[in-house]
Amino acid sequence: DERAEHVGSCSRDGTVVVRSLASNESSTRWYHRPVLAVELEREYAARSRTVATGGLAGDFVLSLRGWLGSKDVVVHSGEGPVRAIACAAGSGLYAWANDAGVKVFDAARSRRVSYIERPLGAIPAERLRPHLRWEGAAELLIGWGDCIKIGKLLTREASSGVGGASYYVEITAVLQTDFYVCGLCGLSLRQDDRGEWQRDLLVLAYARE
């Protein structure tokens, strides 16, 4: 989570464990199918302790903790195994990748946000896991095979004035690489002539033969 106080793990035997790094506190969930991805809400320790999971069952699930215990809510299903999940800081936005592509969901408002197709001709997700990462609350990085997509979170005002503004993700850049993407994130390592830090993209790459 954002405070680096808890860590989540999942397993093909269907076990999901969230453990505190500062105490003996831990919680365990069991599912009937292999779980391939787990993501903690960024403010897990301070708020609802929501855990997002997905796996071979093809369900994207939010586990919500309330006064009467935990409750699993299936947000989406039926499009193949969920292989990667990412949660944006401070916004309640989740992105997950299945065989069809990447979907973005606003958990705070229970609204679908965007659907981003998998790159044309991309290596199947079962052979090379897609990678997702939110940079802050407004930029989504997608690494799929030898393609990187960068999406920007934008706001669409409600035309009727009912229901308020809604979000959507616009792809602002598509990068084709000569390697397979095995991880990615943004970072600042250099300054320009005015002393301002520049934002770069760091990619963990596997060279193709």
Side-chain angles (χ1 to χ4, degrees):
D1 59 350
E2 195 169 41
R3 297 184 182 182
E5 294 180 359
H6 295 81
V7 62
S9 66
C10 61
S11 172
R12 284 184 171 270
D13 67 2
T15 303
V16 175
V17 177
V18 179
R19 180 175 294 276
S20 169
L21 301 178
S23 68
N24 292 326
E25 176 193 356
S26 67
S27 62
T28 304
R29 298 168 174 81
W30 292 274
Y31 296 92
H32 299 295
R33 298 286 297 278
V35 181
L36 306 179
V38 60
E39 178 84 352
L40 305 185
E41 182 186 34
R42 295 295 296 273
E43 298 179 3
Y44 177 87
R47 298 206 305 182
S48 64
R49 301 208 167 197
T50 300
V51 180
T53 57
L56 288 186
D59 298 335
F60 174 67
V61 179
L62 291 180
S63 295
L64 312 173
R65 179 178 293 184
W67 291 105
L68 300 179
S70 297
K71 177 180 69 173
D72 286 350
V73 176
V74 178
V75 175
H76 186 83
S77 63
E79 289 188 339
V82 175
R83 302 184 183 275
I85 303 171
C87 178
S91 64
L93 292 174
Y94 288 87
W96 70 93
N98 55 30
D99 291 345
V102 176
K103 289 181 170 60
V104 181
F105 180 75
D106 183 354
R109 305 181 186 184
S110 296
R111 293 180 179 177
R112 296 181 181 181
V113 173
S114 285
Y115 165 63
I116 303 160
E117 291 185 351
R118 56 175 279 185
L120 185 63
I123 188 169
E126 63 183 6
R127 293 178 54 195
L128 184 62
R129 175 178 175 266
H131 295 271
L132 305 174
R133 182 177 177 88
W134 285 96
E135 290 297 315
E139 188 175 66
L140 176 62
L141 307 179
I142 303 171
W144 198 312
D146 57 359
C147 180
I148 298 172
K149 292 186 178 182
I150 300 176
K152 184 177 181 181
L153 184 68
L154 300 174
T155 303
R156 180 189 295 112
E157 296 296 333
S159 58
S160 63
V162 178
S166 60
Y167 298 121
Y168 68 100
V169 175
E170 179 178 290
I171 299 300
T172 59
V174 179
L175 310 176
Q176 199 67 40
T177 69
D178 57 1
F179 51 80
Y180 292 131
V181 178
C182 299
L184 73 173
C185 71
L187 79 168
S188 299
L189 293 177
R190 59 189 177 88
Q191 292 176 290
D192 61 17
D193 296 338
R194 296 175 295 178
E196 296 180 356
W197 288 100
Q198 300 298 297
R199 197 68 176 165
D200 295 318
L201 181 63
L202 178 65
V203 181
L204 180 64
Y206 179 81
R208 294 189 296 184
E209 297 181 356

